[in-house]
Amino acid sequence: MDLKVLDNPIWHALANEHNKFSLGGDNAKRYPADVAPFAGLRNSTPEAFKELAATLDVGQSVALFTDVAPVLPSGWNIIRQRAIDQMICTTAGDSEKFRPVRLTASDVQEMRTLTQLTEPGPFAEQTIAMGAFFGVRSAEGQLIAMAGTRLALPRFTEISAVCTHPDYTGRGLARDLVAFLSKRILGEGRIPFLHVKGENRAARVYERVGFTHRASMTLSVIAKASSDFHNESHEQG
């Protein structure tokens, strides 16, 4: 199994299955801001950063997932940078306790409310267009847990937005949702993967589903700092 595409997952998603969302050129691509704040570079070169800058306003930020921390040319600021763990799953456990329901555009406001409360990662107005999202509702109809598919690249599908309302934690909702999605992805002949902070206890939950650590990645949130990026990039080159 060739795992190399997972070293640069955002680029390979936008260059392939998610090309319909792509803004940019041959060396840099990003999602529209109302879909996801993610960007990918073919390689971390001044030319690639110049292409990315052309798609952004001054002060606008994007997030990169890379196998090594990128070296930024002048004209950029690092807003935040940290290590994250990438995990993959080749055999998923069963999920029988809860029956998830498919979430649709009519559920987006509830989904955004839940993600803003629990902070599993960015979830914008059109994030739902990236994949299939499922949730669990309480007896009263409240959305109490959700998870879905996000980055789609050759042979691999990312699981994201895994979250549970604080009043309903400890019931196995997240585990069952991840197991459900993993079995669904595996059934399509693809491999599920996800990203998690190393200190997050959720990693133990994912291990119980069948996920294993694949690599340590770098999450870099960067912002375009200059309107004269073209000239500065040439000076760096």
Side-chain angles (χ1 to χ4, degrees), residues 61 72-80 221-226:
S61 63
L72 303 184
S74 60
W76 293 92
N77 289 329
I78 295 180
I79 306 302
R80 184 168 69 258
V221 180
I222 63 174
K224 179 180 175 180
S226 172

Side-chain angles (χ1 to χ4, degrees), residues 26-50:
D26 293 335
N27 298 293
K29 301 177 186 294
R30 72 170 176 90
Y31 288 91
D34 63 349
V35 174
F38 299 145
L41 309 177
R42 182 188 295 274
N43 294 292
S44 295
T45 62
E47 179 65 27
F49 278 103
K50 181 167 56 177

Side-chain angles (χ1 to χ4, degrees), residues 17-200:
E17 276 87 341
H18 277 181
N19 185 59
K20 64 183 179 181
F21 296 114
S22 179
L23 303 176
D26 293 335
N27 298 293
K29 301 177 186 294
R30 72 170 176 90
Y31 288 91
D34 63 349
V35 174
F38 299 145
L41 309 177
R42 182 188 295 274
N43 294 292
S44 295
T45 62
E47 179 65 27
F49 278 103
K50 181 167 56 177
E51 282 190 16
L52 181 59
T55 73
L56 299 170
D57 296 327
V58 173
Q60 188 175 356
S61 63
V62 289
L64 311 175
F65 291 166
T66 53
D67 58 339
V68 296
V71 178
L72 303 184
S74 60
W76 293 92
N77 289 329
I78 295 180
I79 306 302
R80 184 168 69 258
Q81 192 170 68
R82 61 157 297 143
I84 55 172
D85 291 333
Q86 186 182 83
M87 305 178 76
I88 64 171
C89 177
T90 55
T91 304
D94 290 331
S95 56
E96 302 292 341
K97 194 173 180 182
F98 303 98
R99 185 181 297 276
V101 296
R102 180 72 180 263
L103 300 172
T104 68
S106 64
D107 301 305
V108 166
Q109 189 52 56
E110 277 187 286
M111 297 166 76
R112 296 198 72 197
T113 297
L114 183 59
T115 55
Q116 288 163 7
L117 176 66
T118 56
E119 299 184 342
F123 192 90
E125 286 285 350
Q126 297 300 321
T127 299
I128 195 170
M130 296 178 75
F133 288 81
F134 292 83
V136 176
R137 293 189 176 276
S138 68
E140 296 73 31
Q142 178 188 1
L143 182 64
I144 58 174
M146 61 173 273
T149 57
R150 189 171 63 180
L151 299 179
L153 47 151
R155 294 196 60 202
F156 298 92
T157 300
E158 183 198 30
I159 294 175
S160 77
V162 182
C163 56
T164 303
H165 191 284
D167 293 342
Y168 293 88
T169 56
R171 306 186 188 194
L173 290 164
R175 178 201 175 281
D176 277 12
L177 279 166
V178 171
F180 168 81
L181 283 169
S182 298
K183 291 181 72 174
R184 190 174 189 269
I185 293 166
L186 288 164
E188 296 169 346
R190 299 170 66 82
I191 303 295
F193 73 105
L194 52 79
H195 297 97
V196 63
K197 297 174 183 176
E199 71 277 11
N200 193 328

